[in-house]
Amino acid sequence: TSSDCGNPTTPLCCASGCGYGICVRGSIDDSKYPVVDSRATRSVCPSVADIKCTQKGGISWCSNDGHCQVPGSSVSRYCCPTQCDYNVCLSKQNGQIVIG
């Protein structure tokens, strides 16, 4: 719930479509984040079939890699499509794909 977020800069809890919520700032205008074309395959993104999700049509987190970067973090995050019609930010850490 939004009360779990507890951070004044990200006070709103939104469903990710992957079975958990994410804390965000204000509301999300989904038109700002069109779904990344999965045919434009990039080596950093897994196949859309490899990203499991629990509901179709969640809110896209990003439309380019720049939306995924965390200031001050040395971890590179990438904007990748899912099979459920929205994009997620992910990184590769210790050979594992981490969404978030």
Side-chain angles (χ1 to χ4, degrees), residues 38-57:
S38 62
R39 291 171 297 181
T41 310
R42 299 170 23 210
S43 62
V44 295
C45 291
S47 162
V48 293
D50 291 340
I51 300 178
K52 306 296 182 215
C53 47
T54 59
Q55 67 185 102
K56 298 287 273 178

Side-chain angles (χ1 to χ4, degrees), residues 15 24 28 31 34-36 45-46 48 53 65 77-78:
V24 298
I28 296 176
S31 65
V35 177
V36 175
C45 291
V48 293
C53 47
D65 294 342
R77 291 174 173 81
Y78 306 96

Side-chain angles (χ1 to χ4, degrees), residues 7-82:
N7 184 334
T9 60
T10 57
L12 184 64
C13 181
C14 294
S16 67
C18 292
Y20 57 89
I22 57 172
C23 295
V24 298
R25 188 176 25 243
S27 61
I28 296 176
D29 178 359
D30 197 31
S31 65
K32 291 182 182 177
Y33 303 111
V35 177
V36 175
D37 187 350
S38 62
R39 291 171 297 181
T41 310
R42 299 170 23 210
S43 62
V44 295
C45 291
S47 162
V48 293
D50 291 340
I51 300 178
K52 306 296 182 215
C53 47
T54 59
Q55 67 185 102
K56 298 287 273 178
I59 299 295
S60 287
W61 300 9
C62 56
S63 61
N64 63 59
D65 294 342
H67 293 146
C68 297
Q69 303 317 308
V70 175
S73 174
S74 62
V75 176
S76 294
R77 291 174 173 81
Y78 306 96
C79 185
C80 295
T82 69

